[in-house]
Amino acid sequence: MIRIQARTEPSSIMKVVSPLLAITLTLIFGCILFSAIGKSPTQALHVLLIAPLADSYNIGEMFVKMGPLLLCAVGLSLCYRANMWNIGAEGQLLAGALGGSAMALYFIDSESAFSLPITLLAGIISGMLWAAIPTFLKLRFNSNLILTTIMFNYIALYLLIWAVHGPLRDPQGFGFPESAMFADSTLLPTLFESSRIHLGIVFAIVSAFIAWFILSKSHLGFQIRVFGSDEPAARYAGFSSKKLSWFVMLFAGALAGLAGVSETTGPIGQLVPNVSPGYGYSAIIVAYLGRLHPLGAILAAVFMAVLYMGGDLAQIEMGIPVAVVSMFQGVLLFFLLACDFFINNRLAFSNQATN
Amino acid sequence: MKKHNLVSRLELVNLTKQYPGCLANDNISITLMPGEIHALLGENGAGKSTLVKTIYGVVAPDKGDIIWDGKEVDIKSPSIARDLGIGMVFQHFSLFETLTVSQNIELCLSKTQLNKIGDLAKKITQLSEEYGLNVNPSRYVHSLSIGERQRVEIMRCLVQSVKLLILDEPTSVLTPQEVAGLFGVLRTLSKEGCSILFISHKLHEVTEICHKATILRGGKVVDTCVPNEETPASIAKMMVGDLAEQDAGYAKREGNERVFHVENLSLPAKQPFGTSLKNINFELKSGEILGIAGVAGNGQDELMAIISGEDERNVKHSLSLDNLDIGHLHAGERRKLGMAYVPEERLGRGAVPDMSLTENTLLTHSDGFLKNGLVEWQNVKEYTSALIAKYKVKCHGEFSEAKSLSGGNLQKFIMGREIGQNPKVLICAHPTWGVDVGAALAIHQALLELRDQGAAILLVSEDIDELFLLADRMAAVCDGYLSPVVRTEATNIDQIGQWMAGTFINNTSNRTQEAKA
């Protein structure tokens, strides 16, 4: 007889195995799915997971996608550690893209060395501002952070669309809803001659290490962890929940804003309506896949970026609809949460069933 | 004596229950005769709860037999236990507050039982008179005091003509007067042939009322005795093994100068079922323990929360430390000024369950462990190891998660952590609640040592014996009012008991009116 039994202590093995198990189960699910729509599962998985890493161009594109995913996921990890359910990375990213682009367009005729840092700063501040409003509403009026951050995602999206149709539209752009191409002085430098990999990925990895350092070494990070794991204890200890909430939300907003402005000043080079293919939402999965650990998020972001790349390739090479990628992401999160159950529980095989 | 009296009511033969990683009951055999009041004693984790749950059909034993009135039975569920005539009053009552007493009792009766009883309210009134329970069937449970609710639970068992009544720490929530009332009821029941299994940590109660006692340690029966031939001290020794010193006869101290005082503190309740605090005044001197007695839910929690700063409402001029107003500071700032706090809830408030003891040290004790906002973990670790050794906290090491510790050991850890900050004022809520005798002794001695070093200690406890043992001055709370504060030597358990029941309230309010006039 098999029973579910609570573990006396959470299994440290399962903490590591759970994401791997979830990925394996997702792949098995993928095989079944591809067979069902009449595609060869082996070829499909090859295109989805191996092809993105097969040549240097694809690897470069993978890093381009990884940057914004990781930046958003690092910020979200900190928020979720502190029980701040920020679903608004997408909106904060778009706000960063919008604010940064406005600044970049202001510098369109400038060749100053300061124009890029100021543009990036504008993006960061826009992201922080976008995170600050729901945070204020939560702390002042106790509004539901999940709902307000989701709503702010839409507000950011439509503000951005309005901007590219109106004030930021390129006057010489034949009416297309796009801004003018930014000046070279406001473009992020690429790391290698032949690829589009730009400074954004460096920002992302550095931010992951900074977040890890804050969480594990600083008193502030300790307070965040206490606050997330046991709020009454944090109140008892006298930690200020306001201070911590502001810190994690502004930190996440800044990183998401940086992700947004890095996209427009990096691979895109102008402001367009579809800056993000849902990076801010996928980053939620990345954060969980990385165990809400900033360094774990690096690995998870690689995986998710591969999946994004693979989705594009599968569409091009095999005619598999791009919605399959979203489905993959959803199934992955599902399996991950299911496998996490076994961190605190286990199956007990009892031989006394006959008694 | 007739012959059937020689048949035991309940006999447990070699009951064994294995939980993962813990042998909760190890070959336990106990015999209960009709009318016997039998005490089940033991430290926390000795296996008492598992044993009574087995008898009541909540837990199935792995091995062993239960013999009821001479016949072997298999008690598969609580309803079978009730059909046999076994009733149980849990430590936490299971009553619906929005229903009346008789509705609550009706809920757990089967149709046939109801038909047999007929008019339930009449039956309740009749039993109530018979046993002096004083339970009114038409009252709503939310309007009853804790003691009354307990009597409703007992009534629920009586209605089902109980032959064995199991009581799990029944006196921990009662005033001394209520305890005396309960014991009267139990004696009547016993005379009529009802057996009673009585779990308690309070040894003098056991010596007072119980005919026999079984002592459990580590899941095994280690001893049995006839309590009225023993003293509380000798029973305690059986429970915890060789305990070198006993917990008694500590010297009382006079405090020195005033370090902390509460002045005209009135505060409306924050929650609908909370208690509002009404014009509370007292002062705390260095080198003394001020004990506050009271039945749970009379404003202790609210008082603790406002003093510690967890209740963030501004009462600037009502609290002062070293003649400095602190009522507007938040909890962290008050700690920095020299206040420390041992909360009632150990796990989930006093300690973070999923964090190691090292991390839990840092929870409130960060002084000296921070450098430019960074934590010097190595130092915290060494400090924690020393703390564990000093207070003999049983655990695997400083890396153990707080939730892996037993209640008593975690309490020793928390107590040590707070004392280690050399506080000027220590606020301590129910420090030995649910803690075994050995740990309670260690905690008492730690508190006294801190007092002798010159700290001021505010001790809130429901255990009136503990207060008499430790406190230098005492007061009681009732319904959010604080009684006058008296020297412990100048009062007695009767007076404090009456104060717990609120007899001082009219006097105080009269006095305030006179003062105003």
Side-chain angles (χ1 to χ4, degrees):
Chain A
M1 195 172 69
I2 304 173
R3 281 178 305 127
I4 288 166
Q5 199 173 58
R7 291 182 197 266
T8 43
E9 277 178 29
S11 157
S12 46
I13 299 171
M14 270 313 287
K15 274 186 192 165
V16 179
V17 170
S18 165
L20 301 177
L21 193 63
I23 289 172
T24 314
L25 288 169
T26 308
L27 295 183
I28 294 172
F29 166 82
C31 290
I32 298 170
L33 178 77
F34 293 127
S35 308
I37 58 174
K39 309 278 178 188
S40 152
T42 44
Q43 195 199 348
L45 288 182
H46 182 267
V47 170
L48 266 180
L49 299 171
I50 312 290
L53 300 171
D55 62 55
S56 63
Y57 171 79
N58 282 353
I59 292 178
E61 285 301 293
M62 191 275 290
F63 278 116
V64 169
K65 294 192 180 344
M66 179 187 161
L69 280 172
L70 182 56
L71 277 168
C72 293
V74 166
L76 292 181
S77 298
L78 245 58
C79 288
Y80 298 161
R81 281 289 187 103
N83 277 353
M84 290 292 281
W85 304 110
N86 174 11
I87 312 294
E90 180 76 5
Q92 290 145 25
L93 182 147
L94 295 177
L98 179 59
S101 299
M103 190 58 80
L105 292 171
Y106 174 79
F107 284 122
I108 197 151
D109 294 322
S110 157
E111 285 175 17
S112 157
F114 293 109
S115 43
L116 178 62
I118 293 176
T119 300
L120 293 179
L121 200 64
I124 291 174
I125 290 173
S126 308
M128 286 167 89
L129 183 72
W130 217 246
I133 302 167
T135 312
F136 171 77
L137 293 175
K138 177 181 165 60
L139 295 180
R140 180 70 183 76
F141 301 108
N142 202 21
S143 66
N144 185 317
L145 190 68
I146 297 177
L147 296 182
T148 49
T149 49
I150 291 178
M151 290 194 277
F152 267 74
N153 289 343
Y154 290 102
I155 299 173
L157 177 63
Y158 289 112
L159 260 182
L160 189 144
I161 290 174
W162 166 76
V164 290
H165 280 91
L168 300 186
R169 186 169 60 187
D170 184 2
Q172 278 101 50
F174 309 105
F176 280 106
E178 289 171 356
S179 78
M181 295 301 290
F182 299 156
D184 283 351
S185 64
T186 50
L187 288 184
L188 277 178
T190 52
L191 299 182
F192 307 103
E193 276 293 301
S194 58
S195 93
R196 296 205 300 160
I197 304 180
H198 56 89
L199 217 48
I201 187 69
V202 178
F203 294 152
I205 290 175
V206 169
S207 78
F209 276 93
I210 291 175
W212 167 77
F213 186 79
I214 291 173
L215 268 188
S216 59
K217 304 287 179 195
S218 77
H219 196 230
L220 186 73
F222 174 74
Q223 295 184 12
I224 290 172
R225 287 190 288 135
V226 172
F227 195 64
S229 129
D230 187 351
E231 209 178 310
R235 271 204 308 273
Y236 155 70
F239 299 159
S240 161
S241 74
K242 274 194 176 160
K243 195 177 87 186
L244 295 173
S245 304
W246 276 115
F247 175 78
V248 294
M249 286 299 288
L250 292 181
F251 188 78
L255 292 186
L258 179 61
V261 67
S262 300
E263 281 299 284
T264 52
T265 59
I268 305 176
Q270 64 183 142
L271 185 64
V272 293
N274 49 345
V275 172
S276 156
Y279 286 138
Y281 294 114
S282 304
I284 298 169
I285 304 174
V286 173
Y288 271 99
L289 199 59
R291 304 263 67 123
L292 302 185
H293 191 295
L295 299 187
I298 296 180
L299 289 178
V302 169
F303 181 79
M304 191 60 77
V306 165
L307 211 55
Y308 261 112
M309 275 294 295
D312 287 351
L313 293 175
Q315 193 180 14
I316 296 163
E317 293 183 12
M318 296 180 67
I320 292 175
V322 77
V324 165
V325 176
S326 314
M327 195 154 161
F328 245 80
Q329 292 182 355
V331 168
L332 178 61
L333 185 63
F334 167 79
F335 277 126
L336 186 69
L337 295 177
C339 292
D340 276 2
F341 178 78
F342 290 100
I343 292 175
N344 287 312
N345 297 277
R346 67 174 173 202
L347 293 177
F349 301 93
S350 88
N351 44 16
Q352 291 182 340
T354 44
N355 287 3
Chain B
M1 285 281 142
K2 284 173 201 155
K3 201 187 169 208
H4 72 261
N5 267 356
L6 294 174
V7 176
S8 60
R9 171 67 37 84
L10 176 74
E11 201 180 336
L12 307 177
V13 187
N14 295 329
L15 276 189
T16 298
K17 175 73 190 174
Q18 171 89 49
Y19 283 122
C22 157
L23 189 58
N25 284 166
D26 184 3
N27 278 311
I28 292 185
S29 301
I30 292 176
T31 307
L32 245 86
M33 301 307 288
E36 177 179 326
I37 304 182
H38 193 111
L40 200 53
L41 299 169
E43 296 188 72
N44 278 9
K48 298 171 306 227
S49 305
T50 308
L51 188 67
V52 293
K53 280 183 190 159
T54 310
I55 300 172
Y56 196 56
V58 180
V59 168
D62 296 333
K63 267 195 303 201
D65 302 314
I66 301 176
I67 295 161
W68 177 256
D69 282 340
K71 273 179 288 193
E72 190 176 331
V73 289
D74 184 8
I75 304 174
K76 280 199 180 114
S77 72
S79 70
I80 295 176
R82 284 196 292 269
D83 287 344
L84 288 173
I86 301 174
M88 179 151 176
V89 177
F90 288 93
Q91 209 172 352
H92 301 281
F93 304 147
S94 40
L95 296 170
F96 292 96
E97 299 208 341
T98 51
L99 299 180
T100 64
V101 169
S102 71
Q103 283 168 332
N104 262 293
I105 291 175
E106 195 178 332
L107 271 174
C108 63
L109 296 175
S110 64
K111 264 219 172 91
T112 40
Q113 281 171 318
L114 271 176
N115 288 338
K116 216 165 79 188
I117 292 167
D119 188 346
L120 184 60
K122 208 168 143 192
K123 173 94 174 172
I124 293 172
T125 318
Q126 174 218 326
L127 284 170
S128 169
E129 278 165 18
E130 201 177 323
Y131 293 97
L133 282 175
N134 206 0
V135 170
N136 180 348
S138 58
R139 276 187 67 186
Y140 282 92
V141 167
H142 66 79
S143 71
L144 301 180
S145 74
I146 301 288
E148 288 171 314
R149 288 179 198 200
Q150 187 180 53
R151 295 202 292 270
V152 174
E153 292 263 0
I154 294 174
M155 175 63 77
R156 183 146 80 178
C157 300
L158 292 181
V159 166
Q160 299 174 50
S161 44
V162 69
K163 289 193 211 159
L164 168 64
L165 186 62
I166 304 172
L167 301 161
D168 191 358
E169 295 206 33
T171 59
S172 58
V173 291
L174 303 181
T175 65
Q177 283 80 1
E178 284 174 323
V179 170
L182 172 70
F183 284 1
V185 175
L186 296 185
R187 287 200 179 96
T188 318
L189 278 168
S190 152
K191 271 190 204 116
E192 293 176 354
C194 176
S195 308
I196 291 160
L197 194 56
F198 186 88
I199 300 182
S200 179
H201 276 302
K202 298 182 184 171
L203 301 177
H204 72 94
E205 291 176 354
V206 171
T207 53
E208 183 185 334
I209 189 169
C210 295
H211 304 128
K212 256 182 92 176
T214 298
I215 293 123
L216 300 183
R217 201 194 307 156
K220 285 194 185 105
V221 174
V222 288
D223 222 331
T224 55
C225 65
V226 177
N228 62 15
E229 293 170 2
E230 303 282 338
T231 62
S234 66
I235 298 179
K237 205 168 169 183
M238 292 180 214
M239 281 170 66
V240 296
D242 287 319
L243 206 62
E245 294 144 295
Q246 263 316 313
D247 217 9
Y250 298 117
K252 302 287 176 204
R253 291 284 151 84
E254 296 239 6
N256 305 320
E257 73 277 15
R258 181 178 87 177
V259 280
F260 177 82
H261 75 275
V262 174
E263 206 178 318
N264 300 329
L265 176 64
S266 294
L267 206 61
K270 231 177 173 181
Q271 278 132 7
F273 292 104
T275 308
S276 14
L277 300 176
K278 289 137 194 154
N279 192 27
I280 289 185
N281 292 282
F282 67 87
E283 58 179 46
L284 212 54
K285 297 178 202 158
S286 64
E288 73 158 357
I289 299 179
L290 172 63
I292 294 188
V295 175
N298 273 289
Q300 296 98 321
D301 296 348
E302 287 81 0
L303 184 62
M304 297 285 95
I306 196 72
I307 293 180
S308 74
E310 280 173 82
D311 184 340
E312 284 170 350
R313 285 179 286 182
N314 187 346
V315 286
K316 187 170 179 185
H317 302 296
S318 291
L319 304 177
S320 65
L321 180 69
D322 288 337
N323 294 320
L324 208 76
D325 286 341
I326 60 160
H328 58 297
L329 302 178
H330 68 68
E333 292 167 322
R334 292 184 201 186
R335 280 185 178 281
K336 286 208 183 83
L337 292 174
M339 294 188 53
Y341 179 34
V342 177
E344 180 182 5
E345 283 165 86
R346 282 151 216 156
L347 207 56
R349 186 130 157 260
V352 185
D354 296 325
M355 285 191 168
S356 70
L357 293 182
T358 305
E359 289 171 303
N360 270 302
T361 299
L362 192 69
L363 183 65
T364 63
H365 191 166
S366 57
D367 243 22
F369 294 134
L370 299 184
K371 207 172 172 185
N372 304 325
L374 300 183
V375 181
E376 298 182 306
W377 283 111
Q378 191 56 36
N379 295 351
V380 188
K381 223 157 124 182
E382 281 160 20
Y383 180 85
T384 308
S385 302
L387 193 72
I388 291 169
K390 182 175 177 196
Y391 289 95
K392 300 193 179 67
V393 179
K394 270 186 221 153
C395 61
H396 294 300
E398 78 284 343
F399 51 84
S400 295
E401 287 183 345
K403 68 179 175 197
S404 69
L405 269 65
S406 75
N409 279 303
L410 188 59
Q411 185 73 343
K412 284 196 278 187
F413 169 79
I414 292 173
M415 191 64 87
R417 177 185 72 192
E418 299 301 304
I419 289 175
Q421 299 168 45
N422 296 319
K424 281 183 205 159
V425 176
L426 177 72
I427 319 276
C428 197
H430 315 287
T432 58
W433 183 83
V435 156
D436 61 64
V437 179
L441 175 66
I443 289 165
H444 289 167
Q445 286 173 346
L447 280 172
L448 291 162
E449 196 183 320
L450 183 69
R451 173 194 73 180
D452 293 344
Q453 285 164 9
I457 299 172
L458 180 64
L459 175 66
V460 172
S461 178
E462 279 153 35
D463 184 341
I464 199 160
D465 300 319
E466 178 173 80
L467 290 171
F468 271 93
L469 185 67
L470 297 178
D472 302 307
R473 292 190 301 146
M474 281 179 81
V477 281
C478 182
D479 192 28
Y481 291 98
L482 186 73
S483 76
V485 180
V486 285
R487 296 200 52 76
T488 307
E489 288 136 331
T491 185
N492 55 41
I493 215 155
D494 272 342
Q495 185 180 25
I496 297 294
Q498 281 169 17
W499 282 355
M500 283 162 77
T503 52
F504 66 90
I505 290 175
N506 283 332
N507 298 337
T508 334
S509 46
N510 286 345
R511 225 182 299 148
T512 3
Q513 275 164 8
E514 277 166 30
K516 273 178 194 158

